[in-house]
Amino acid sequence: MINKTLSIPLALLLAAIVAILGYLGYAASQKRTQQRQVVEVVRDTTDKLRKALRAHPEPEIVTALEANLQAAKAPRDPALADAAEHYIIGAREIVRRRVEIERLERDVAASRQALAGHMAHASSRNSAWLRDAVALKKRVEDEYFSLGLKFKALDDILFSMPEAEKRLEGHVARELLVPLAETETARKQVQAEAQRAAAQLERVRQLR
């Protein structure tokens, strides 16, 4: 009777231990799966960002990076997921600003050409001509102002990317991230483009 009485709690204890070990094993396997998924998403994000920094990015890349952001989930490793989220958000915003800048540059070029064409007919100056000249010039200046804001925002995001990468370095291999030299080169390019746009705007303002 004593042996039977003791065997029941022992069996329950063993069952509990088996269940706990099974759960821990499942949790560990799930964590590894989630980590691999997030690392792959980070790798893909880096590939897309590097391509966008080197060439004219397509708007579809922004959508793809948004999908990566949604896929970077790792409940079993929240530190990795949080670091990956910051990195992907930064990459997405860089590409988004780059796409917006290229669109604005096309708009500015068209508006500047329209203004130059209008100013070329200065011999027919009258009240209507002056009114149109003022309106065209204002449109160009407004578009350049918006362009300047986009350049500043892009510069700021590129400046912050090394910090986002630093948060990820403890979780993924450094070679999976954008090289710091490429980020710095992209930043210098943005600053140069912003200076050229400012010089173009100054020339527009001098039109009479």
Side-chain angles (χ1 to χ4, degrees), residues 9-47:
L10 183 59
L12 292 174
L13 177 60
L14 290 175
I17 291 173
V18 170
I20 291 172
L21 291 176
Y23 173 77
L24 291 176
Y26 170 76
S29 174
Q30 193 177 48
K31 181 177 181 178
R32 288 192 296 270
T33 299
Q34 292 172 0
Q35 288 172 329
R36 285 195 296 269
Q37 177 179 320
V38 172
V39 169
E40 186 54 39
V41 167
V42 168
R43 185 199 307 274
D44 183 69
T45 295
T46 296
D47 289 343

Side-chain angles (χ1 to χ4, degrees), residues 57-91:
E58 298 295 331
E60 291 76 16
I61 298 181
V62 178
T63 303
L65 290 175
E66 181 63 36
N68 281 355
L69 181 61
Q70 299 305 315
K73 307 298 182 184
R76 297 289 183 184
D77 193 344
L80 168 62
D82 183 64
E85 179 179 315
H86 280 80
Y87 180 70
I88 298 169
I89 288 174

Side-chain angles (χ1 to χ4, degrees), residues 25 82 143 150 165 204:
D82 183 64
E143 289 174 348
K150 298 296 183 184
E165 293 184 350
V204 168

Side-chain angles (χ1 to χ4, degrees), residues 6-193:
L6 290 175
S7 65
I8 295 175
L10 183 59
L12 292 174
L13 177 60
L14 290 175
I17 291 173
V18 170
I20 291 172
L21 291 176
Y23 173 77
L24 291 176
Y26 170 76
S29 174
Q30 193 177 48
K31 181 177 181 178
R32 288 192 296 270
T33 299
Q34 292 172 0
Q35 288 172 329
R36 285 195 296 269
Q37 177 179 320
V38 172
V39 169
E40 186 54 39
V41 167
V42 168
R43 185 199 307 274
D44 183 69
T45 295
T46 296
D47 289 343
K48 286 179 168 55
L49 177 56
R50 294 184 74 182
K51 289 176 183 177
L53 291 176
R54 295 171 181 170
H56 302 289
E58 298 295 331
E60 291 76 16
I61 298 181
V62 178
T63 303
L65 290 175
E66 181 63 36
N68 281 355
L69 181 61
Q70 299 305 315
K73 307 298 182 184
R76 297 289 183 184
D77 193 344
L80 168 62
D82 183 64
E85 179 179 315
H86 280 80
Y87 180 70
I88 298 169
I89 288 174
R92 181 194 64 188
E93 292 309 303
I94 287 171
V95 178
R96 176 176 288 166
R97 296 300 189 282
R98 190 74 261 180
V99 170
E100 292 172 347
I101 284 171
E102 294 199 0
R103 177 184 59 77
L104 273 171
E105 285 178 329
R106 291 192 294 269
D107 292 345
V108 165
S111 297
R112 195 173 62 241
Q113 184 176 7
L115 175 61
H118 185 76
M119 299 301 287
H121 296 85
S123 57
S124 59
R125 292 191 180 204
N126 52 38
S127 59
W129 183 92
L130 288 172
R131 182 181 64 250
D132 291 344
V134 170
L136 287 169
K137 197 169 185 180
K138 184 178 185 306
R139 184 173 72 186
V140 172
E141 290 191 355
D142 288 346
E143 289 174 348
Y144 267 114
F145 178 76
S146 296
L147 184 58
L149 291 178
K150 298 296 183 184
F151 277 129
K152 180 63 170 62
L154 180 54
D155 188 16
D156 289 344
I157 299 169
L158 285 167
F159 177 76
S160 69
M161 278 303 282
E163 183 61 31
E165 293 184 350
K166 186 177 180 180
R167 296 179 63 172
L168 257 177
E169 285 180 11
H171 304 278
V172 304
R174 183 64 185 81
E175 56 265 26
L176 294 183
L177 308 176
V178 176
L180 296 177
E182 289 189 23
T183 303
E184 186 58 28
T185 297
R187 235 191 119 204
K188 290 178 180 178
Q189 180 183 347
V190 168
Q191 292 168 353
E193 291 174 359

